[in-house]
Each structure stands twice: as C-alpha cells, then as structure tokens.
Amino acid sequence: MRNKTVLWTALAMLLTTASAWAYTWDGFDFHGFLDQGYIATDKNNFLANSKDGTFHLTDAAFNVRRQINDKLSVGAQVFTYRDGDFGALNRPMIDWAYVDYRWQDWLGVRAGKVKASVGLYGDTLDLQMTRPFVFLPMSNYNPLYREIENAVWGGSVYGDVPVHKFGSLDYSIEVGMLGIGDEGGAAESTMQSLPFNTDHSSNNYCVNEQVIWNTPYKGLKLEEICVYVNRIDGTGLFKDQAELAELIPPLNGLAAYAPLFTGANSRLQLTDTWNATLGAEYQVDKWTFAAEYMRQWQDLSTSVNSPYATTFGLDTNKGTISDGFYLSAVRQITSKLDLGAYYCLSFSNVRDRTGATLAATGDQSYHGFSKDLALSACYKIKPWWLVKAEGHVINGTSYLVNVTDNQPWSDTSRYWLMGVLQTTLFF
Amino acid sequence: MKHLITLLVLLVAAVAYAEPVFVANKNVSDSSLPKDTVDGILKGRVKSWPSGSHVVLATLKGGSVGDAVLSTYAGMTSDQFNSNWNRLVFTGRAAQPKSFSSDKELIDYVASTPNALGYVDSASVTPDVKVIKVE
C-alpha cells in the first residue's frame, strides 16, 4: 500500500506542475505513466482472489531519452507492476534500455535491452494510453509473460524500406537472451502448474523476426512474425504434500507419494520453442480493425532426480502445439470516447480442441481452452488521464494460471464473467 | 451593397477552402516530399529528409487543418495519431513531436529549428519558412 501511495503522490505532483506531454531538460525527455485497476469475477479467481474483487492491478513506468545527434539516441525505461498475485511493485525492472543508431531510414541498430517483435501490439502490452482495452486479447498477448516475450537483452537490426508503388516494409530482427525473472509472472505461473518449484530460470538465446507490410491500400497493414527460443531451463526442488495436493489433476495424485520425491532436484526444460504469427490491421475513418493468428510449437521435458521418477511418469519429453486467434474492432465515438470489442480463442493443444483428451487425465475438458468476448469503453477525462471499463464473457479456464487461488480445482466453472475498471495517468 | 455581399461570400469561401500546406525550416534543401514519405514521417517510421538530415516534426493540437493533414496523408484520426506516438515514445523509438495550439506558434518554431517540418493553413505561411510540396 505504501508503494502505491508513493507512486500516486509523485505522479500527481508532476502532473499538476507541468504540461501533459513531456518534461524536457537539457535535451533529455522524460515520460511516465501510472495505471490502477480493479478486477472482479463472478466464478473463478483470475490473477488473484478476484471473486472478492481486487485492486491488485497496478503498473507504473518512467523513462528518459536523449537524441544525441541526427542518428544516435539513447534511452531507458524502468517498469514495475503487480497483476494480482504476480509481480511486485517494490521490484522494478528495466523494461528497455538501449543505444539506437539509425544510419538510414532503412537500416538502424539497437543494443541493450530492446523491445521484441511480438505481434501488432506486443510492444504496447503495458501501454494503456495506446488502446481502449485494459487487456489485449489474451489468446495472443499474455500479460504474465511480458518478461519472456516483450524484450531481449542483446540487439536488433531494423528499418523501413520503401517498395515503390507497393508501399513499404518495416522489418525488425532481435537476437539476445530473454529476461526471465525467477519471481516474474511467467516463472510464477509456470511453477503453479508443476510438481516442483522453479527457483532458478535461464535461457540460451532467442531470435525474433517481424515484417510489417504497409500496403499501398491506405490504412491496411499486414504482418508476419517468427520467434525462436533456444532452451529455457527452470530448476528447483520437488514440492511437499500440501503443495502437491493443490495441483491440477492428475498431478495432485502425487500428494499421496510425496515422501518419495519431496526435496528432489527437478528440472523443466523447454528445448525449442517456435512461434509464428500472421496478422492484419485496417484503419479507416474512425475505425480500427485487427486480426491475428498465432501458433506455437514447443518441445518440453521434465526430469526429477529420484529412482521412482520414471515409474510415476515424471521424466517426460513431449511436444505441444498451441494456438490463439482474435478479431477486434475499435471505434472512436467522440474526441474523448472510444469503444472496442474483441473475440479471441486460445487452445493449449491444437490436437485436443474439445478437451476430451485432457478430461481423460482427470482434468476438466475446458481447462485446455478459452473463448473470450470482451467489450471496452475508454474515456479521456484529459489528454493525459483515461478511465476504462471492460467486461469479459469467458468460456473455458486456460487463463487460470493461479492454481493456488482456485481450490478445489474441480470447482472451477467453465463459464464465467470478468469486469475491469482502470484509470491511467501519463505524461 | 450587392458588391459587398459578393465580396463577403468570396472571402468566406476563401477561408473555408484554405488548404493545409507543409512548411520547413529554410535550411532544408528539399523542396518536395513524396506522399509515402510524408506518411512515414507522420507515423514516425521515416526520420530523415531525402537529403539525409534528421526530420524534426512539429504538429498542431487538433483543429481542422491538423485533422485534414492526418486524414489525407496518414489515413489517421488525431486520436490514432496520438496513440501511435505514445507507442513510439514509451518504447523508446522516438521523441514526442512538439505540438502547438496555433499556426503562428508552429511557424515560429519551424523557422527557428533546423530541419523542422510542420503543417499549417496556407493562409498562415510567412516568408520565415519554406513551403514543401507533397508529390
């Protein structure tokens, strides 16, 4: 609570003393934002104990940038968040920090922690002022996975290439290491689904590539993205009986055999992960339409240092294919009011879209997918102050990575509603 | 009286149909810009003049001229334009363009800023800046 009070006070002081757009001092530009939201759900707990309503939806960032000369700039942004049980406001992270040399419009290089190409809107995952939606379609944009999807430590090559009468191509290639935090959303949510903790995470490297075709047809752009991640490792100790009992079936059955494994060294390894996305955005008058399809191929293995690991199927090696799709529309109603809607689908296993195979393991069939209809309204009280209201009608529970908040797991409901209110201040 | 009314109507018509023009600092060697380049500059994708120097973009805060420019050359509303630049600013890819409430303020800025590019009502152009044709 104290952290939030400090953030709100600081931002209020800044906003009351200067113009809305930016602070500039000695050639340095400063910007920042603060989001505060409230989530409530009717049946299942999303991110936190949302059935009781929660204000644990806070993001904040501060950046500084300087244009050194015509071609060279440098900047950094610090970001902190708390999304339900994930993240912590007292553990800010570097969101991006890089040196940028734009030799020509068609060729530039960046080095440092650079934003990654993750769909049409991946780099705006945390930027509430760029869209009417509180949550981007979670079939393609998972807010908990920001550390492993949104930026890489390494470098990028990018540019804008005119293609005569065919428009232009924006390209970007990033190579580097993912900033996997041991206490970040990705690590925490993964750990809640495993019979062991992942206290230490690491990554070899990843390569992201994106091409956006700004077509000659005004307002239409098409994109393709390909991402490759080489080895994500998570290691830790096997959980105790109480922790095992809270896992999703059939893993909760391990609780009865906990003495055989508790404390054993364990490992999760994502050997190769490929992700491909195709998408389109069309802006016409006051409308913006978008659609994206994403498919992910992942090879993962688990191993437990115990002579009984094979007997209980804990040494595994399997490939999974998941996908996600959405269709969205945004309409500017007045200069202050935007309305938006999207429908998104996500499937954890494309070979089991109905969840029948999943149900045969003892889990619910609807845990393998989510079908989400969202409606949003965004009102600009001031150019630098937004309020949003958003409602979701959801079929399926694949969003529920906070397993510990949804006990007993068998009581999770297939159909559920979510409401979100949020306000954003930015400069 | 009849002549006065005619003159008044012509004056109103001239004001109503005044077109936006792009203006630049006089140090800029380019006299024209391709339409696609203007689109790219307004969206932050293009950062250089054809001659190679860095573009310093200046914009108007709303108004019919600003809306017409964004619609004609970038296919955007001012809301979409602002969202796009917020994205660039908060991902470190660009600095926020300076924004002005009046044509005069914008012209004063462009006239005093090397490599600057802005847009105003054609009736507001002064000899302090250079008109840039869009091809």
Side-chain angles (χ1 to χ4, degrees):
Chain A
M1 179 61 101
R2 185 158 172 253
N3 291 321
K4 276 195 206 176
T5 305
V6 169
L7 285 171
W8 278 104
T9 304
L11 197 62
M13 287 171 63
L14 285 170
L15 288 169
T16 51
T17 56
S19 68
W21 281 114
Y23 292 79
T24 299
W25 175 77
D26 198 24
F28 291 91
D29 293 323
F30 302 91
H31 296 271
F33 65 81
L34 177 60
D35 310 317
Q36 177 58 57
Y38 176 81
I39 296 181
T41 53
D42 68 332
K43 301 254 177 72
N44 305 315
N45 283 312
F46 176 63
L47 297 179
N49 284 319
S50 55
K51 282 197 289 186
D52 296 332
T54 178
F55 283 98
H56 291 163
L57 191 67
T58 308
D59 303 337
F62 180 78
N63 76 51
V64 57
R65 182 182 182 277
R66 183 184 172 107
Q67 190 76 37
I68 307 294
N69 55 42
D70 279 358
K71 296 181 186 295
L72 183 67
S73 65
V74 63
Q77 176 160 292
V78 174
F79 174 76
T80 187
Y81 76 100
R82 181 171 180 183
D83 291 347
D85 296 337
F86 305 94
L89 294 176
N90 62 350
R91 286 199 298 265
M93 65 183 79
I94 296 174
D95 192 19
W96 49 263
Y98 56 83
V99 176
D100 187 337
Y101 185 75
R102 188 92 181 251
W103 179 55
Q104 301 282 342
D105 281 327
W106 54 269
L107 181 61
V109 292
R110 297 181 177 124
K113 187 171 186 183
V114 299
K115 295 300 273 187
S117 309
V118 188
L120 289 169
Y121 307 114
D123 55 358
T124 68
L125 184 70
D126 301 313
L127 305 182
Q128 293 291 337
M129 73 294 287
T130 62
R131 62 180 193 256
F133 307 117
V134 176
F135 291 111
L136 286 172
M138 285 185 274
S139 54
N140 296 58
Y141 301 103
N142 189 330
L144 295 180
Y145 283 63
R146 57 170 59 81
E147 294 111 346
I148 63 171
E149 289 185 349
N150 282 15
V152 300
W153 285 98
S156 68
V157 175
Y158 71 97
D160 179 77
V161 181
V163 196
H164 302 292
K165 56 184 178 181
F166 296 107
S168 69
L169 297 174
D170 285 335
Y171 74 92
S172 178
I173 303 169
E174 301 96 29
V175 180
M177 289 179 60
L178 300 171
I180 301 174
D182 293 336
E183 295 166 325
E188 179 65 30
S189 61
T190 301
M191 194 162 61
Q192 291 207 22
S193 301
L194 295 173
F196 52 85
N197 297 313
T198 51
D199 304 313
H200 303 286
S201 304
S202 64
N203 154 241
N204 268 3
Y205 68 89
C206 71
V207 182
N208 293 4
E209 163 274 319
Q210 178 181 47
V211 175
I212 294 178
W213 177 25
N214 301 294
T215 72
Y217 192 75
K218 186 184 278 190
L220 178 64
K221 59 183 176 186
L222 306 175
E223 60 139 15
E224 68 79 18
I225 294 166
C226 191
V227 176
Y228 171 69
V229 180
N230 180 273
R231 272 192 57 179
I232 295 177
D233 279 306
T235 58
L237 300 179
F238 213 88
K239 291 176 176 173
D240 62 30
Q241 186 174 44
E243 292 170 318
L244 292 170
E246 290 188 337
L247 292 175
I248 298 169
L251 291 175
N252 58 350
L254 291 169
Y257 306 94
L260 298 176
F261 304 107
T262 298
N265 289 317
S266 309
R267 160 177 276 174
L268 167 73
Q269 188 174 86
L270 301 172
T271 320
D272 289 300
T273 301
W274 287 92
N275 183 306
T277 302
L278 295 174
E281 181 192 86
Y282 181 51
Q283 284 185 333
V284 58
D285 295 326
K286 297 182 179 181
W287 287 96
T288 302
F289 301 98
E292 291 186 278
Y293 175 77
M294 179 275 298
R295 195 158 177 119
Q296 180 163 285
W297 297 261
Q298 205 163 53
D299 289 330
L300 65 91
S301 65
T302 58
S303 61
V304 176
N305 187 10
S306 163
Y308 306 101
T310 305
T311 305
F312 284 83
L314 294 174
D315 288 345
T316 64
N317 195 333
K318 63 179 179 179
T320 62
I321 305 174
S322 58
D323 66 0
F325 168 77
Y326 76 87
L327 191 60
S328 71
V330 173
R331 163 81 177 170
Q332 182 184 340
I333 305 300
T334 69
S335 60
K336 288 180 178 285
L337 178 65
D338 290 340
L339 298 179
Y342 64 73
Y343 183 63
C344 67
L345 305 166
S346 59
F347 295 92
S348 303
N349 184 352
V350 301
R351 300 187 185 103
D352 184 30
R353 292 190 190 278
T354 62
T357 305
L358 193 62
T361 68
D363 197 354
Q364 292 104 339
S365 62
Y366 47 86
H367 182 56
F369 58 79
S370 285
K371 302 173 186 177
D372 180 2
L373 173 66
L375 298 172
S376 300
C378 175
Y379 185 77
K380 299 178 190 66
I381 299 174
K382 295 285 186 186
W384 42 268
W385 184 13
L386 317 173
V387 291
K388 298 181 182 179
E390 183 164 294
H392 293 251
V393 179
I394 303 170
N395 169 7
T397 57
S398 66
Y399 289 170
L400 304 183
V401 295
N402 52 328
V403 176
T404 52
D405 290 326
N406 288 287
Q407 297 295 323
W409 185 254
S410 56
D411 283 357
T412 53
S413 182
R414 175 172 178 169
Y415 299 99
W416 52 293
L417 305 175
M418 176 167 67
V420 192
L421 298 173
Q422 185 171 65
T423 188
T424 296
L425 297 169
F426 65 101
F427 65 92
Chain B
M1 185 65 174
K2 195 174 167 185
H3 293 302
L4 188 62
I5 292 170
T6 306
L7 192 64
L8 216 58
V9 168
L10 285 172
L11 193 63
V12 169
V15 170
Y17 289 95
E19 289 191 1
V21 293
F22 285 88
V23 293
N25 185 279
K26 286 193 166 182
N27 83 312
V28 171
S29 57
D30 302 281
S31 300
S32 63
L33 286 171
K35 199 172 180 183
D36 287 346
T37 302
V38 172
D39 176 271
I41 291 172
L42 291 172
K43 291 175 180 172
R45 292 187 289 104
V46 172
K47 297 192 175 180
S48 303
W49 289 96
S51 55
S53 53
H54 184 69
V55 173
V56 180
L57 181 64
T59 64
L60 289 172
K61 288 179 187 173
S64 58
V65 170
D67 290 347
V69 164
L70 295 178
S71 173
T72 303
Y73 297 101
M76 286 179 154
T77 64
S78 59
D79 201 43
Q80 292 162 348
F81 177 81
N82 290 334
S83 289
N84 179 63
W85 277 96
N86 282 330
R87 174 184 188 163
L88 296 174
V89 164
F90 284 100
T91 54
R93 290 172 182 148
Q96 185 76 41
K98 291 278 190 280
S99 186
F100 301 93
S101 303
S102 72
D103 288 5
K104 183 185 182 308
E105 288 175 4
L106 187 145
I107 284 180
D108 289 344
Y109 175 77
V110 170
S112 60
T113 305
N115 302 323
L117 172 72
Y119 47 86
V120 294
D121 190 313
S122 57
S124 301
V125 176
T126 71
D128 298 328
V129 293
K130 173 180 181 177
V131 173
I132 301 291
K133 289 181 190 169
V134 179
E135 298 166 340

